[in-house]
Amino acid sequence: YSVRETFSEESVFVGLSLSLHGGDVQALKDLKNVAAVWPVKTVPAPSAALPRDFKKGGANVARADSPLPYITGDLDVNRPHAVTGVDKVHAAGIKGKGIKIGIIETGVDYRHPSLGGCFGEGCKIAFGYDFVGDDYNPNWDISAVEKPDPLFTCVTGGHGSPVSGKLKNDSLSINWTGYGLVGVAPEATLGMYRIFGCEGGADDDIIMKALLKACSDGVDVINMSFGQVWPDEDTNPYSVIADNLLEEGIAMFAATGNSGSWGLMSPSAPSISSSIFAVGSVDNEKFPLTYQLTDSNGRHLRYSAHLPQQSPPEVMHYGADPFWQTGPYIEDYEQAAANLTALGIDTSTVILPTLYGKEEDPFWGKEYNSGDPAEWPLEAISLTVQDSKTLLSSFGKKPFQYKISLSSTDHAAILASTPGTMSNFSSIGPTIQLNIKPQLSAPGGNNISTWPLTYDGYTIISGTSMATPYMAGAYALIKSQKPSLSVSQIYSLMQNTGKTLPWYYNKNIKSSAIHQGAGLLDVQNAL
């Protein structure tokens, strides 16, 4: 065998991770001083839809001097704070001062003005560590290379920046930048522990190193917006570490996962551990930012994006079958592109109307859904279900004549189709041990947050990974005002003061406890 990592934080976890070379795992378990043995699994990196121009495998593309979006007006980008009472808590001067939050993630682009522009004492991102480096990829057996700076400048995988933005963003104090976003705990001290390279996942023992480092750095809260479906608490080491960190007075929040379509018992590890507070996602009441497009019939439709899309003055619509009234699925793109090429049409000047998801899925077409443009050479244009029907119907009637223009920069926030209900993607409990997961839910669907400066600096993003830092920030607000309460007492306070949510199909019925936990976070009520 060979030793991979050594863990020696006596109050939290003592052990080794090993690579066995033809060894007998049972013989290892039988050793006198071995309490337990777990496999080292690779946890996938959290994902997000990426713009068309991103190229997989590209790294270190730093564009810190690029102009950032600046939009003012009644966008209501901080609407989630109104439904959770965070706005009133902020108005009372409570912003998380004195609480130290450690984020275990992909790293962060702290060059972003909304994230402070610097790293170290006195900066918004005040501490942290990079355990892996850009090239680390356990999927391809590329080893980790540690460095003290958690800066992330890769083209893909910038998930840690929007997570940081949910906690620490303060665009209101910056001139000519952003949308006026405010983080949940803007006065908390924030740190970043990078465990993912530019691509690929992270091995369990790397994540464990980050947890122990956060403990030794004296954090009050740990945020983990990643995971994989693994509903059995007893088959991973996180439960042991979480139990001991709880005894040390450290709160741990983890994303329940985005596998709601899997049905029951689909929460992700590490959120399944009984001492880790699992977080579900609630849809924002509004799509925070949409732009206007105009069709050749003179109708104005709206699409969701953090910046207006660019196109020729008029763009024709073609599909794999131009007379298919419902429009093709995203998987039909290649056939549609071949059809266009055969007609002598440049595919870069054409928009392909597609459906995303399966028709039998009750949620298809109900949101601003889009595919992952990193997998397809296309730019996603996401519309409400009604505007989608209008576009597809008009295209079906006049497939070679119907056109749209994307030249308008008119922007507005509009009401979401499932406002204030559990996000359809939010994973459903319980664990195999029948523990309720999630414990509580927070706004995670349809949010604007920071993004690395490699592409525009902001994005609209959804996931329990966005709800989790929201919950961690809420904990910081409460802890700053009730320092004598234990972690478990604050957990109970947050759950007992939550607001139960209705079922999206019938608002006269409550959503199940194994989907929403104790409901929607209410910070004002908790305080």
Side-chain angles (χ1 to χ4, degrees):
Y1 68 91
S2 58
V3 177
R4 293 164 53 101
E5 303 290 349
T6 301
F7 308 104
S8 56
E9 192 76 32
E10 291 188 5
S11 63
V12 182
F13 191 85
V14 175
L16 301 169
S17 63
L18 306 173
S19 293
L20 297 180
H21 308 303
D24 186 348
V25 175
Q26 188 57 50
L28 188 63
K29 292 180 179 179
D30 291 339
L31 293 176
K32 181 179 179 180
N33 293 324
V34 174
V37 175
W38 301 276
V40 175
K41 301 185 298 294
T42 299
V43 177
S47 62
L50 301 172
R52 176 183 59 191
D53 293 338
F54 281 17
K55 303 297 183 184
K56 289 191 171 183
N60 297 318
V61 179
R63 281 178 19 191
D65 59 346
S66 296
L68 292 173
Y70 176 62
I71 297 178
T72 59
D74 186 22
L75 287 180
D76 211 6
V77 292
N78 296 309
R79 181 65 184 172
H81 294 346
V83 300
T84 60
V86 166
D87 58 347
K88 294 181 175 61
V89 174
H90 283 181
I94 302 169
K95 298 182 179 180
K97 188 174 183 179
I99 304 301
K100 197 171 183 179
I101 304 173
I103 300 173
I104 299 177
E105 255 288 350
T106 64
V108 60
D109 191 348
Y110 55 71
R111 304 168 305 165
H112 198 299
S114 292
L115 296 176
C118 61
F119 171 70
E121 187 175 354
C123 299
K124 290 186 177 182
I125 310 299
F127 63 97
Y129 194 77
D130 183 351
F131 288 94
V132 295
D134 286 346
D135 295 332
Y136 170 66
N137 189 335
N139 306 87
W140 295 96
D141 295 324
I142 300 175
S143 300
V145 177
E146 299 185 17
K147 59 184 177 67
D149 185 343
L151 177 65
F152 181 96
T153 60
C154 310
V155 178
T156 60
H159 193 264
S161 291
V163 169
S164 301
K166 295 298 290 182
L167 284 161
K168 195 68 174 174
N169 203 331
D170 188 12
S171 296
L172 290 177
S173 65
I174 304 170
N175 293 325
W176 311 108
T177 296
Y179 308 93
L181 298 166
V182 177
V184 181
E187 293 183 2
T189 302
L190 204 63
M192 172 62 69
Y193 301 99
R194 185 181 181 188
I195 59 168
F196 296 101
C198 292
E199 294 186 340
D203 285 338
D204 281 332
D205 49 1
I206 295 289
I207 299 170
M208 293 166 64
K209 286 178 66 177
L211 288 168
L212 298 187
K213 173 66 172 170
C215 177
S216 66
D217 285 345
V219 302
D220 301 293
V221 189
I222 292 174
N223 183 97
M224 297 184 290
S225 291
F226 59 86
Q228 62 179 335
V229 176
W230 198 275
D232 187 355
E233 298 176 45
D234 296 334
T235 56
N236 72 85
Y238 300 114
S239 294
V240 175
I241 295 175
D243 290 347
N244 291 327
L245 288 176
L246 184 64
E247 291 296 319
E248 293 288 314
I250 299 174
M252 296 179 68
F253 294 89
T256 304
N258 301 333
S259 302
S261 61
W262 290 34
L264 299 177
M265 292 186 171
S266 63
S268 296
S271 75
I272 58 173
S273 300
S274 58
S275 295
I276 296 178
F277 198 100
V279 184
S281 172
V282 178
D283 278 352
N284 199 344
E285 290 188 344
K286 292 184 177 180
F287 289 105
L289 185 55
T290 65
Y291 294 93
Q292 179 177 289
L293 63 83
T294 304
D295 71 5
S296 51
N297 295 325
R299 285 175 295 208
H300 300 308
L301 312 177
R302 305 205 70 85
Y303 65 96
S304 175
H306 69 288
L307 286 174
Q309 301 295 308
Q310 301 297 318
S311 76
E314 291 184 327
V315 182
M316 283 190 176
H317 287 261
Y318 289 87
D321 179 350
F323 298 100
W324 191 0
Q325 292 288 317
T326 59
Y329 287 95
I330 196 168
E331 290 80 3
D332 296 313
Y333 173 80
E334 292 181 1
Q335 181 59 54
N339 292 352
L340 294 169
T341 301
L343 292 170
I345 298 172
D346 181 357
T347 57
S348 67
T349 66
V350 174
I351 291 174
L352 171 72
T354 68
L355 300 178
Y356 179 63
K358 299 178 180 178
E359 189 167 351
E360 60 267 22
D361 179 354
F363 300 104
W364 76 276
K366 288 193 174 182
E367 297 293 352
Y368 278 110
N369 288 332
S370 67
D372 181 353
E375 300 289 348
W376 302 89
L378 58 85
E379 188 110 13
I381 297 177
S382 309
L383 298 90
T384 62
V385 61
Q386 186 55 54
D387 283 354
S388 295
K389 288 180 178 179
T390 298
L391 185 150
L392 292 170
S393 174
S394 300
F395 162 68
K397 293 175 182 176
K398 297 181 179 180
F400 292 97
Q401 302 175 44
Y402 182 69
K403 301 178 181 180
I404 64 170
S405 170
L406 294 171
S407 58
S408 174
T409 58
D410 173 72
H411 56 270
I414 67 171
L415 185 68
S417 57
T418 53
T421 64
M422 288 301 297
S423 303
N424 65 292
F425 56 75
S426 192
S427 291
I428 303 170
T431 66
I432 287 177
Q433 287 75 20
L434 299 183
N435 288 324
I436 296 294
K437 296 287 178 175
Q439 274 100 322
L440 192 64
S441 299
N446 310 308
N447 293 272
I448 293 182
S449 191
T450 45
W451 189 257
L453 296 175
T454 48
Y455 195 91
D456 295 334
Y458 296 91
T459 191
I460 296 176
I461 189 169
S462 296
T464 55
S465 57
M466 296 297 107
T468 303
Y470 201 104
M471 194 74 73
Y475 177 94
L477 298 178
I478 298 168
K479 183 67 174 178
S480 71
Q481 301 304 299
K482 298 180 181 291
S484 63
L485 293 186
S486 69
V487 174
S488 295
Q489 287 174 323
I490 296 179
Y491 284 171
S492 296
L493 181 62
M494 295 169 74
Q495 290 181 277
N496 290 334
T497 55
K499 298 178 288 190
T500 55
L501 297 169
W503 193 31
Y504 24 67
Y505 290 124
N506 185 342
K507 293 194 174 181
N508 294 318
I509 300 173
K510 298 294 185 183
S511 181
S512 67
I514 56 174
H515 198 195
Q516 67 170 316
L520 174 64
L521 167 74
D522 188 336
V523 183
Q524 184 187 22
N525 197 15
L527 287 170

